[in-house]
Amino acid sequence: MKAFLVVGNLKMNLLTEAEGERYLGELKKAAYGKHLSGVQGVIAPPFIHLYRFAHLPTHFHLGAQDMHWEKSGAATGSISSSMLKHAGVEYVLLGHSERRSTLGETDALVRAKVDAALRENLVPIVCLGETREERERDTTTTVIARQLEATFAGLSLLQAEKVIVAYEPRWAISTSGTGLIPSTTDIFQVKVFIRKWFTEHFDAKLAERVRVLYGGSVNSIHLGSLSWEAEMDGVLVGKESLFPRELVKMMEMAERHIQSLA
Ligand code: PEP
């Protein structure tokens, strides 16, 4: 069975070396002595902290928040898949809604990055989800189908299985300011739709295997209703991931849930 994933997206925070060190220290303290057999953590710090975060506590893996689609060359201000690999990165977030909405990242660009990540043996975590207007117009599944098509068309079964999908309704992300979160049923319906899409475009086995995370205002209070109760395979956490003890608490809660099923 694949581990339940708790992915922390630290975004553009931890502004100084000292803040980076403090975060790491707190994470190590919080994670010390924890036995988590069914849960895995991923921390995606800002690029400038990647080497500092190379030695994370047990149960944690290093992630990055984005990357360029080329391996090297004339791309001022960018980080390549190869650079991430050398820094010890295993997972990379791609197509985060903040990049799609403020930097104009298109589905095609995200797809080029997915291909580049797979070539470098990095695990892409592709963020997708509808805006509030799209939900109100009842076009959520149309938007998700379009994003899935752009991400997965032409991939082999083997490649597709390596990609992780993060369903993040944009209106539920804490910085959207709506204060809204989806119900378990809302999330479950999207999960069912995603599973059906994979069954139709690949096969039923892959549909079961592809990991689908939920992201958007996740905290320890809503963790269960936003993830396992909706049959999600993990969570992508923004704001709350800035508090290492909260992150580890969520991992322990997920572990208890998994153990309760055993
Ligand atoms: C995100 O931006 O990916 C995210 C999930 O943020 P938050 O948890 O703060 O809503």
Side-chain angles (χ1 to χ4, degrees):
M1 207 175 78
K2 284 186 173 171
F4 184 92
L5 270 188
V6 177
V7 182
N9 174 11
L10 304 184
K11 306 195 183 185
M12 199 165 65
N13 294 297
L14 309 185
L15 303 190
T16 61
E17 189 180 346
E19 284 186 28
E21 288 298 341
R22 190 165 58 237
Y23 185 93
L24 263 184
E26 282 176 19
L27 186 68
K28 284 178 183 160
K29 215 150 92 192
Y32 184 76
K34 305 288 188 226
H35 297 288
L36 304 167
S37 57
V39 182
Q40 194 180 302
V42 175
I43 302 284
F47 294 137
I48 202 161
H49 289 303
L50 280 178
Y51 278 99
R52 188 186 318 287
F53 278 54
H55 300 289
L56 289 167
T58 319
H59 311 304
F60 282 94
H61 298 253
L62 188 60
Q65 298 176 18
D66 180 47
M67 58 169 232
H68 196 272
W69 61 93
E70 293 288 354
K71 213 176 162 78
S72 65
T76 304
S78 299
I79 298 270
S80 82
S81 52
S82 182
M83 290 168 177
L84 296 184
K85 196 73 190 175
H86 282 100
V89 168
E90 293 175 73
Y91 295 82
V92 59
L93 298 175
L94 297 175
H96 190 279
S97 63
E98 285 154 11
R99 298 193 64 85
R100 289 182 192 259
S101 62
T102 61
L103 298 170
E105 282 207 5
T106 61
D107 286 342
L109 194 79
V110 175
R111 172 52 190 269
K113 294 182 180 191
V114 169
D115 289 338
L118 290 172
R119 277 198 299 274
E120 206 65 55
N121 252 323
L122 293 165
V123 179
I125 302 176
V126 179
C127 305
L128 44 84
E130 79 287 1
T131 62
R132 193 171 178 186
E133 295 71 41
E134 287 163 342
R135 175 158 282 264
E136 280 165 4
R137 268 188 270 123
D138 207 17
T139 54
T140 299
T141 53
T142 312
V143 171
I144 287 170
R146 191 199 73 225
Q147 292 170 333
L148 288 171
E149 178 74 28
T151 306
F152 288 93
L155 292 188
S156 67
L157 278 171
L158 218 64
Q159 287 172 317
E161 195 182 335
K162 289 182 186 148
V163 181
I164 295 174
V165 173
Y167 169 56
E168 298 206 294
R170 292 194 195 183
W171 48 272
I173 291 183
S174 61
T175 48
S176 70
T178 62
L180 299 170
I181 53 168
S183 67
T184 304
T185 309
D186 292 334
I187 302 171
F188 181 65
Q189 280 170 350
V190 171
K191 172 74 193 278
V192 169
F193 176 79
I194 292 175
R195 209 183 272 154
K196 187 165 155 271
W197 188 91
F198 277 108
T199 305
E200 286 168 3
H201 291 78
F202 290 91
D203 63 28
K205 233 190 208 162
L206 183 85
E208 283 303 318
R209 283 190 182 151
V210 165
R211 274 193 281 187
V212 185
L213 316 181
Y214 168 79
S217 302
V218 173
N219 57 27
S220 56
I221 298 166
H222 301 298
L223 179 65
S225 63
L226 295 176
S227 60
W228 55 78
E229 287 173 27
E231 294 190 17
M232 301 306 259
D233 307 300
V235 284
L236 177 49
V237 188
K239 192 167 93 232
E240 291 292 305
S241 69
L242 291 170
F243 307 101
R245 258 192 296 170
E246 272 300 297
L247 206 61
V248 172
K249 180 176 172 187
M250 288 191 253
M251 290 169 73
E252 289 185 284
M253 288 170 70
E255 175 73 13
R256 274 198 298 277
H257 169 70
I258 290 164
Q259 294 310 331
S260 75
L261 302 176

